[in-house]
Amino acid sequence: MVDVSQIDPILTKLNECYSGTPLQREKLELWSLLRDIAASLARGDVTELEVRALVAELAEGVAGQLAAHGKALSPERLADELLGAVKDAAARAAAVRAAAVRERLRRAGEKAREKRERLSVL
């Protein structure tokens, strides 16, 4: 069985929060929003302060939804936990992007070396 916590920290946190509720559609919508926020943070399109404000706003509504289904979580605690998951996902996304850039640079360096070698033979 795949350990989702190693793949997606946001989904892991949402699975914990929404377990035992019928709010699967809401969970997926929130997951999509939080992943978009994490991607924006990883790209540098938003600051951590902006992310914190967005997540706090989302947590207010989510805490109310969950409370209506018997899951009492304070909006502040939920916001902190979701922010941690978003930051973790953003760090992972940034690491993947950095690895892709390093790979492109490595390949470009190899091509340049091959070209120099071919030209030196002439």
Side-chain angles (χ1 to χ4, degrees), residues 14-113:
L14 293 179
N15 283 339
E16 290 173 14
C17 294
Y18 282 90
S19 68
T21 71
L23 302 171
Q24 295 306 305
R25 190 187 79 210
E26 290 82 352
K27 177 180 80 172
L28 292 176
E29 288 174 4
L30 182 59
W31 179 51
S32 178
L33 282 169
L34 292 174
R35 285 186 52 172
D36 288 347
I37 291 170
S40 293
L41 182 60
R43 288 190 308 268
D45 296 341
V46 295
T47 66
E48 187 175 330
L49 287 175
E50 292 169 319
V51 170
R52 188 177 300 272
L54 287 168
V55 170
E57 188 175 323
L58 290 169
E60 287 277 333
V62 170
Q65 283 179 337
L66 293 173
H69 287 87
K71 304 254 327 196
L73 289 171
S74 76
E76 295 81 17
R77 178 175 170 221
L78 183 59
D80 286 344
E81 291 178 4
L82 291 177
L83 180 62
V86 166
K87 287 168 61 176
D88 190 17
R92 291 173 190 219
V96 167
R97 289 172 54 98
V101 168
R102 282 192 301 274
E103 178 61 21
R104 284 196 304 270
L105 289 172
R106 185 189 64 73
R107 277 191 253 129
E110 285 178 4
K111 285 182 181 179
R113 272 190 300 282

